[in-house]
Amino acid sequence: MKSMLSTTPGGPQTLVWTEQPDLSPGKGELLVEIRAAGVNFPDTLIIRDLYQMKPARPFAPGGEISGVVTALGEGVSGYEIGDRVLALTGHGGFATQICVAANQAVKFPEAMPFEDAAGFVFTYGTSYHALKDRAELKPGETLLILGAAGGVGAAAIELGKSMGAKVIAAVSSAEKAAFCKKIGADETLVYSRDMSRDEQKEFSNNIKELSGKSGVDVVYDAVGGNYAEPALRTMAWLGRYLVVGFPAGIPEIPLNLPLLKGCDIRGVFWGASVFRDPKGHAENMAELQALYGSGKIKPQICDVLPMTEAAKALEMMQDRRVMGKVVLTNS
């Protein structure tokens, strides 16, 4: 077994490709030979000790994988050696093997490539939980997505359209805007990377123009920072503002705005929801697989790299150069 280990807090360059003893599954676990692993923004944080979870070192980052079951732990039923499974792992995915709890693994069909499966659970799981469970998005509503070209943002575009919403995609470049338009956004908006107070006002005005008289029903904020307040100012009455992430920094929100708008600010902590509501998670995953099967959603994979190039993939992620998903694979 080999793993891309974090042995000390730091950036992607601190990771080391290391040989380790082979794993064996414990009670209720599956041993999975990892074929592919999705790369997500939390992977850039967890190696710096900046994420909610802080695993004991050494550990491999990598919160989602796809692969093949190679051994069954005691008491496992419903799986066979050779089954193709995807799983949310939290960490440990940038490796060649992993043990996962059988009740956390999801079988997927032959028609889904390992790369798609590895880029499926985190982004679509997060965005579906956000839009369905937290926002209760309705057909005909207007959805504004900040950071719309990233993995969860791109998933939110596809899901928003499948749920009947008008989607406004806000991004940091014309290239990203074209990408969002290509995957289904109705409108796009390019914002400045370093937003001044005047640019915040202009951003709000531009959103209002695109959303129309009533404003935005749901804001999906995967960016934070100085983009949050101007987006909140465009909310419709009884709107829902979703806090998904804040790579641009944790924003300071004037609390008079939710009062004046009659709107809610709702946190989206999908990882916790998976463990608190496993039944709901299973239902969401089944619905997402049906959407994939019908062609309404498909992971937008912009790059596939060898597992040994995990540092390069994380640099792309932290520099916000990713449109859609980056996936790492084992040969």
Side-chain angles (χ1 to χ4, degrees):
M1 172 190 176
K2 291 185 177 179
S3 301
M4 189 61 75
L5 292 182
S6 172
T7 58
T8 185
Q13 72 282 354
T14 62
L15 299 178
V16 182
W17 188 240
T18 306
E19 189 166 332
Q20 295 180 283
D22 285 343
L23 301 176
S24 58
K27 185 176 181 180
E29 290 185 334
L30 304 173
L31 176 62
V32 178
E33 178 188 278
I34 298 173
R35 298 292 180 83
V39 182
N40 299 289
F41 191 76
D43 297 321
T44 70
L45 301 178
I46 199 169
I47 60 175
R48 291 180 165 88
D49 287 349
L50 297 177
Y51 195 54
Q52 294 96 322
M53 295 186 300
K54 294 180 173 58
R57 285 192 168 80
F59 71 89
E64 61 176 341
I65 61 95
S66 67
V68 176
V69 175
T70 56
L72 307 176
E74 180 188 346
V76 171
S77 61
Y79 294 89
E80 296 180 1
I81 292 173
D83 281 347
R84 296 155 59 95
V85 296
L86 57 83
L88 180 72
T89 60
H91 65 279
F94 295 175
T96 58
Q97 295 179 349
I98 195 167
C99 288
V100 300
N103 61 7
Q104 296 295 321
V106 178
K107 295 180 187 179
F108 65 93
E110 292 278 346
M112 179 183 281
F114 286 106
E115 293 83 358
D116 279 9
F120 190 79
V121 63
F122 189 95
T123 51
Y124 288 108
T126 297
S127 293
Y128 199 48
H129 169 63
L131 298 179
K132 175 193 169 188
D133 301 332
R134 301 298 291 139
E136 302 171 279
L137 182 66
K138 302 174 184 64
E141 290 192 316
T142 299
L143 168 65
L144 169 68
I145 304 169
L146 306 184
V152 293
I157 291 174
E158 293 180 311
L159 290 169
K161 290 306 300 176
S162 76
M163 297 167 78
K166 174 185 177 180
V167 175
I168 302 171
V171 291
S172 60
S173 72
E175 182 185 13
K176 290 180 178 180
F179 166 76
C180 293
K181 199 79 171 176
K182 181 180 176 182
I183 64 173
D186 297 291
E187 304 284 356
T188 59
L189 184 57
V190 177
Y191 49 64
S192 169
R193 287 293 295 265
D194 298 302
M195 194 173 286
S196 67
R197 196 65 187 171
D198 286 342
E199 287 170 328
Q200 284 182 305
K201 292 178 182 177
E202 182 183 6
F203 185 43
S204 278
N205 290 334
N206 290 338
I207 295 169
K208 289 173 183 175
E209 279 185 28
L210 293 176
S211 62
K213 188 175 180 181
S214 61
V216 174
D217 298 292
V218 175
V219 173
Y220 182 106
D221 183 4
V223 180
N226 290 336
Y227 309 92
E229 183 182 332
L232 184 58
R233 290 183 180 276
T234 70
M235 297 293 293
W237 183 253
L238 301 182
R240 289 85 74 203
Y241 191 104
L242 302 177
V243 181
V244 182
F246 18 80
I250 298 175
E252 296 182 6
I253 298 294
L255 288 180
N256 65 310
L257 292 178
L259 183 152
L260 294 172
K261 299 286 183 179
C263 67
D264 296 343
I265 298 176
R266 302 183 182 182
V268 178
F269 192 179
W270 174 65
S273 77
V274 169
F275 296 102
R276 290 174 178 269
D277 183 17
K279 182 179 178 182
H281 170 61
E283 290 173 358
N284 283 355
M285 292 307 299
E287 291 170 12
L288 288 169
Q289 290 227 26
L291 287 170
Y292 179 89
S294 67
K296 292 183 178 179
I297 61 174
K298 179 176 172 55
Q300 303 297 320
I301 298 174
C302 67
D303 216 338
V304 178
L305 299 172
M307 194 71 71
T308 52
E309 294 187 26
K312 178 180 177 182
L314 291 176
E315 286 170 359
M316 293 168 63
M317 184 67 63
Q318 69 184 15
D319 295 341
R320 299 193 216 175
R321 289 184 280 126
V322 174
M323 290 188 286
K325 290 284 291 192
V326 176
V327 173
L328 301 173
T329 59
N330 289 311
S331 58

